[in-house]
Amino acid sequence: MSWVFGIWALGISLEFGVWDLELCQTTGPRVFGDLDKYLAVFLTGFFVTYFLTPLARTVARRWGIVDIPDERRPHQQPTPRGGGIAVVIGAHAACLVALALPWAKYARSLDLVWWEHFVGASLVLLIVGVADDIRGVRPWLKLIGQAAAATLIFESGTKISSVAGVELPSAVSYSLTVLWLIAIINAFNLIDGLDGLACGLAIISALGLCGVFVLLRTPGDALVLLGLMGACLAFLRFNFHPASIFLGDTGSMFLGFILGTVSLQTLSQSTFILAMATPMFVLGVPIFDTLLAVWRRSARRWLFGRTPPGDSPGYGIMRADVEHLHHRLLKVGLNARRVATLLWIANGLLVACGLLITSFQSHAVGIFLTALVVALYVTLRHVAAIELLDTGRAVLRGFRRPTQTALKALVYPAWDVAWMAAVLAASIRLVPGGGGQAWERWLLGLPIWIAPTFTMLGLCRTYQIVWSRARARDALALALCLWGGLVISSTIEILVNPAEMIQTLLRASIFGGLSHPAIVSVRLIYRFAEEFVPLLIGRHPGKGRGERILLYGAGGRCQLFLKERNFFDSSSSDEREIIGLIDDDPSLHLRRVYGYQVLGALEDLPELVKKHDVSGIIITAILNLESQIAVRRFARKHGVRLSEWQFEEKNLDLGLALVPPDAGEDQERSAAAPDTVFAKSD
């Protein structure tokens, strides 16, 4: 009942907010009380869904429409699915009450004509969802059905018609509208993997959109969302853990469809920053989970292709996995109720950010940037470790993939010229001055600002460097060339226009500050990934054999071992977890080396093995005889697996000296076999 009182309180706030702000002007006698209409719409959605859900559950069981537990479905026993049809009927019944009954006039943009078109579009999606719940539908067929429903919405006039006050061409408007609706539909479809999660997120998102509509002075549109909230709340009675029925694709796609369609109103009624930020925050968790899924699956598709090692069915954007937000929280050890509650709270915080942006429009940019920085920090620090790990490995593998030499030679010059030209245009717009139009000054400035830098990069042979195998002095030479070219360009510009020396220096600062980091970073991205991936691997525990290992030795050989393990064979099945390092040098103890902490020395092994449950030790150093004997005795006594990683030069002359010059291939192979060394390119 607390939810009912909450909706009642929302109705009061809507009512008083409407009348106090004079957003609605009532003309003529009221057929019903103003507060009653909010409560009536909510209760219609609630009771229709509440009474239809048990019927849907009975029919699903009788027809065998059930979800069988597996790795992706954490429930304990077969559970009926397809209960979303009760939510669909309840939400539409509430819409009918909200839009068809003769309420007093109030400000709104969603009317009965809109609902008639929405019914037809949602019917298409309903057919696809029911078919998928009963027999299963191929992903591309579901996508076609979603696109058809989105097209009907576009044809009804509900669309993204303008951005930042600029009217969009029909083709662009259609593409953006369809992409937006498909994205939100699939966002809720993907997040619906835990009892009560999708319905709870939909309630919170709908509540946020209600607040947005009030602030945008169209409170009547909140009635549609109140009906949806009532339907979701009623279904949550049967869907919360332990669930007796699931939404199925019928319900999850409908939730995304109605929220995506209604949110199009905020895209068309707001300024650019509000139009972009508000729906993204209000629909936050489902969108965020979808973006992570696309990122993760794209990186794995690039890394492994369609046929990864092991028993995996393959990778691709449409391939399901068990790395969604709720899956990760379940793996941490949280139960289903806590996971759902935690994600509801997260979505509530994002909704609050969206409402703050809408309320304080004069500070919208600051609020948006602050929230974005916090979200990026939380994402990169605590959430996206798997995505960053796969992306780093994909970047490293991409640099090692063979490509045409001519193509490689063109990548960096093309990037340098294009980026410097773009930055020059930005600097001319930011620092006004000179005669003529901006595009004329940009064309005249291209040879002055780009040619010197490009010439110096060519003379210093930076375009001949293989940057994935570059040294520090190569990066230093690149930086000197860039700054040298900038000095030459600035000098020429000052000599040509001495009266605009201040403007020239400002443009030079902008030009160097924006172009140089981009030119350097695109060449050093491999080195960045090379240093960053080990840190992620250290934070990402192994899940194969469950071995926990220590490395003995924190010198150069240890670095080579980590590179060999993490980079040169990034698709390896070696998923042992490295706990840390030990080294006999006391100055390294409790410090971090190559991304891992040096936990102690040889004499600390008994305590470390017991404390960290170590099952293996890998020697990554040249040990003296006493240390070798001590570590071997320890390993044998405590049952710890001991191995040594070697990377050393071997003399092949001894074996091949006895082979005559005219020897055949078999004789050479036989002589070389005992001491064969395979060179591996890094």
Side-chain angles (χ1 to χ4, degrees), residues 97 152 369 391 411 453 493 622 667:
V97 171
L152 291 176
L369 292 178
T391 302
V411 170
T453 301
E493 184 73 16
I622 301 176
Q667 289 179 284

mmCIF file of all heavy atoms in Angstrom, residues 97 152 369 391 411 453 493 622 667:
data_model
loop_
_atom_site.group_PDB
_atom_site.id
_atom_site.type_symbol
_atom_site.label_atom_id
_atom_site.label_comp_id
_atom_site.label_asym_id
_atom_site.label_seq_id
_atom_site.Cartn_x
_atom_site.Cartn_y
_atom_site.Cartn_z
ATOM 1 N N VAL A 97 -8.639 5.164 -20.082
ATOM 2 C CA VAL A 97 -9.285 5.958 -19.038
ATOM 3 C C VAL A 97 -8.731 7.381 -19.026
ATOM 4 O O VAL A 97 -9.477 8.359 -18.875
ATOM 5 C CB VAL A 97 -9.092 5.281 -17.661
ATOM 6 C CG1 VAL A 97 -9.565 6.205 -16.536
ATOM 7 C CG2 VAL A 97 -9.838 3.958 -17.609
ATOM 8 N N LEU A 152 5.832 2.846 -37.428
ATOM 9 C CA LEU A 152 4.453 3.288 -37.235
ATOM 10 C C LEU A 152 4.384 4.491 -36.293
ATOM 11 O O LEU A 152 3.574 5.408 -36.498
ATOM 12 C CB LEU A 152 3.610 2.135 -36.690
ATOM 13 C CG LEU A 152 3.365 0.971 -37.662
ATOM 14 C CD1 LEU A 152 2.605 -0.148 -36.964
ATOM 15 C CD2 LEU A 152 2.601 1.450 -38.890
ATOM 16 N N LEU A 369 27.923 17.765 -16.768
ATOM 17 C CA LEU A 369 29.346 17.415 -16.785
ATOM 18 C C LEU A 369 29.775 16.784 -15.463
ATOM 19 O O LEU A 369 30.565 15.834 -15.448
ATOM 20 C CB LEU A 369 30.184 18.662 -17.083
ATOM 21 C CG LEU A 369 30.043 19.237 -18.496
ATOM 22 C CD1 LEU A 369 30.880 20.503 -18.647
ATOM 23 C CD2 LEU A 369 30.461 18.207 -19.543
ATOM 24 N N THR A 391 38.880 -4.887 -24.320
ATOM 25 C CA THR A 391 39.247 -3.847 -25.273
ATOM 26 C C THR A 391 40.762 -3.708 -25.365
ATOM 27 O O THR A 391 41.320 -3.566 -26.464
ATOM 28 C CB THR A 391 38.621 -2.506 -24.862
ATOM 29 O OG1 THR A 391 37.200 -2.649 -24.789
ATOM 30 C CG2 THR A 391 38.957 -1.421 -25.865
ATOM 31 N N VAL A 411 47.903 5.716 -42.753
ATOM 32 C CA VAL A 411 47.045 5.956 -41.588
ATOM 33 C C VAL A 411 47.490 7.188 -40.816
ATOM 34 O O VAL A 411 46.703 8.123 -40.582
ATOM 35 C CB VAL A 411 47.018 4.718 -40.679
ATOM 36 C CG1 VAL A 411 46.331 5.057 -39.362
ATOM 37 C CG2 VAL A 411 46.289 3.579 -41.371
ATOM 38 N N THR A 453 54.651 21.577 -39.784
ATOM 39 C CA THR A 453 54.625 20.397 -38.909
ATOM 40 C C THR A 453 54.698 19.117 -39.724
ATOM 41 O O THR A 453 55.458 18.190 -39.390
ATOM 42 C CB THR A 453 53.355 20.398 -38.049
ATOM 43 O OG1 THR A 453 53.323 21.591 -37.260
ATOM 44 C CG2 THR A 453 53.318 19.181 -37.139
ATOM 45 N N GLU A 493 53.050 33.266 -39.239
ATOM 46 C CA GLU A 493 51.789 33.993 -39.085
ATOM 47 C C GLU A 493 52.015 35.381 -38.508
ATOM 48 O O GLU A 493 51.371 36.361 -38.933
ATOM 49 C CB GLU A 493 50.848 33.189 -38.179
ATOM 50 C CG GLU A 493 49.472 33.788 -38.001
ATOM 51 C CD GLU A 493 48.613 33.650 -39.246
ATOM 52 O OE1 GLU A 493 48.955 32.840 -40.128
ATOM 53 O OE2 GLU A 493 47.599 34.364 -39.327
ATOM 54 N N ILE A 622 66.731 -15.271 -11.991
ATOM 55 C CA ILE A 622 67.879 -16.176 -11.913
ATOM 56 C C ILE A 622 68.279 -16.273 -10.444
ATOM 57 O O ILE A 622 68.803 -15.315 -9.869
ATOM 58 C CB ILE A 622 69.046 -15.659 -12.770
ATOM 59 C CG1 ILE A 622 68.606 -15.530 -14.238
ATOM 60 C CG2 ILE A 622 70.247 -16.589 -12.657
ATOM 61 C CD1 ILE A 622 69.664 -14.939 -15.140
ATOM 62 N N GLN A 667 68.192 -34.041 -42.144
ATOM 63 C CA GLN A 667 69.402 -34.011 -41.321
ATOM 64 C C GLN A 667 69.488 -32.714 -40.515
ATOM 65 O O GLN A 667 69.871 -32.725 -39.349
ATOM 66 C CB GLN A 667 70.648 -34.153 -42.212
ATOM 67 C CG GLN A 667 70.811 -35.557 -42.799
ATOM 68 C CD GLN A 667 72.032 -35.622 -43.693
ATOM 69 O OE1 GLN A 667 72.003 -35.141 -44.815
ATOM 70 N NE2 GLN A 667 73.102 -36.216 -43.196
#
